[in-house]
Amino acid sequence: MRFQTPLVPARLIRRYKRFLADCRLEDGREVTAHCANPGSMMGLAEPGEKIWLEPNDDPKKKLKFGWRLVDHENGHFTGVDTSVPNRALRAVLEAREIPALAAYETVRPEVKYGENSRIDFLLTQPGLPDAYVEVKSVTLSREPGLAEFPDSVTARGTKHLGELAEMAAQGHRAILLYLVQRTDCRKFALAADIDPAYAVAFATAQANGVEHLVCGTRISPDGVWVQPQATISSD
C-alpha cells in the first residue's frame, strides 16, 4: 500500500491527548499532526525521534499532517497508523496471497457480528466455513527482534476474542491476524504482563478453536506492504 502523498521527515516534539503530536519539520516549522493510534505507543513517542508525516490539503481536515512512521535511523521503520493494516491487508486477501486463507475468493470488510461489533474481514467461499478475520496492529518491541501485543490494556481486544470464540463454536473459522508493523522483529509474543486478562482470553479462545496468524511487513517512506511469507515465529 503506497501512501497517497509523499511523506516528509520531521522530529517529534511531543505526543499528547493520544491523537495529537507536535512536530518540527526540516525547515524549522512546528506543526501539529494527527496520530491515528489509540495505544500507548510504548517506545515510539520519545521527543526527538525522527518520524515521517503525510501532508494533506483537504479543506475538511483541521490538521494538515498525519503521523505515519517512526524512523529508527538504522534502516528500520515502524508504522504507527492503525488504519494502515486493514487497507494493506484487503489487497493481499483479495489477491489470495495469505496461504492459510487463499481458498477464499470473496472478501467483505467491516461486517456486523457479535454484540455491536464489526469483524475486520469476512471471507466466504462455497463449500467452506465462513472465515471471520480480526486484525491487530503490532508495534511494541521491548526486546531486540521481539514484537509484542498489546502495548496497553485492551478491553476491546479481549471482547473480540470472546466473540471470535463464539464464531468458532458455531462452526465458522475464527482468525486473529497480528500484523507486525515493524521491520526489525522476527518473533512475536503476547505481552501478558501488560494485559493479563487479554492473555487469558487468548488462551481460552485458542482452546476453543480460534486460530491466529502473524504476518510481517515491508515499510519505507513510500508505503507499507504486507509480507505473508515473512519469517516471524510465534511463541
Side-chain angles (χ1 to χ4, degrees):
M1 185 209 77
R2 287 190 176 276
F3 294 114
Q4 293 182 342
T5 307
L7 303 191
V8 296
R11 293 285 173 179
L12 180 65
I13 298 173
R14 63 170 182 146
R15 180 213 184 196
Y16 57 104
K17 295 182 179 178
R18 290 203 299 174
F19 299 110
L20 299 176
D22 290 339
C23 317
R24 182 174 289 107
L25 302 179
E26 287 191 322
D27 62 7
R29 284 184 297 148
E30 292 187 9
V31 299
T32 300
H34 176 241
C35 176
N37 191 317
S40 73
M41 292 182 63
M42 187 186 302
L44 297 172
E46 300 301 320
E49 282 185 330
K50 183 176 181 179
I51 62 176
W52 290 82
L53 308 178
E54 185 172 19
N56 75 80
D57 56 6
D58 188 341
K60 296 180 181 180
K61 291 185 177 181
K62 181 178 180 181
L63 299 177
K64 298 307 177 184
F65 293 88
W67 182 4
R68 300 292 179 254
L69 305 178
V70 169
D71 188 333
H72 298 289
E73 300 190 81
N74 59 1
H76 290 291
F77 296 87
T78 295
V80 299
D81 184 341
T82 57
S83 72
V84 164
N86 284 29
R87 285 184 283 156
L89 274 165
R90 181 171 183 174
V92 172
L93 290 169
E94 289 176 342
R96 303 166 82 171
E97 294 176 356
I98 298 178
L101 303 172
Y104 292 90
E105 186 173 358
T106 302
V107 178
R108 295 169 56 202
E110 296 292 320
V111 177
K112 290 182 178 181
Y113 87 119
E115 296 183 12
N116 300 316
S117 295
R118 290 180 180 271
I119 195 70
D120 289 317
F121 296 102
L122 176 60
L123 313 184
T124 58
Q125 183 70 19
L128 295 177
D130 293 347
Y132 288 76
V133 182
E134 180 71 27
V135 180
K136 298 299 181 187
S137 173
V138 181
T139 61
L140 173 63
S141 180
R142 296 179 291 177
E143 299 178 19
L146 176 66
E148 297 178 278
F149 182 89
D151 67 358
S152 59
V153 174
T154 173
R156 184 169 177 266
T158 300
K159 175 176 177 280
H160 287 158
L161 284 167
E163 290 173 333
L164 285 172
E166 178 59 30
M167 293 300 103
Q170 293 178 21
H172 305 297
R173 287 185 70 188
I175 301 108
L176 218 336
L177 195 157
Y178 296 98
L179 186 68
V180 178
Q181 279 206 87
R182 298 187 67 112
T183 61
D184 58 357
C185 294
R186 289 295 174 266
K187 293 183 179 181
F188 169 79
L190 295 182
D193 60 316
I194 292 178
D195 191 346
Y198 183 86
V200 170
F202 177 89
T204 301
Q206 194 170 42
N208 285 281
V210 176
E211 308 167 46
H212 80 279
L213 300 172
V214 183
C215 290
T217 48
R218 178 168 60 88
I219 301 173
S220 77
D222 293 326
V224 177
W225 290 271
V226 178
Q227 292 191 300
Q229 307 291 351
T231 305
I232 297 182
S233 59
S234 176
D235 290 349

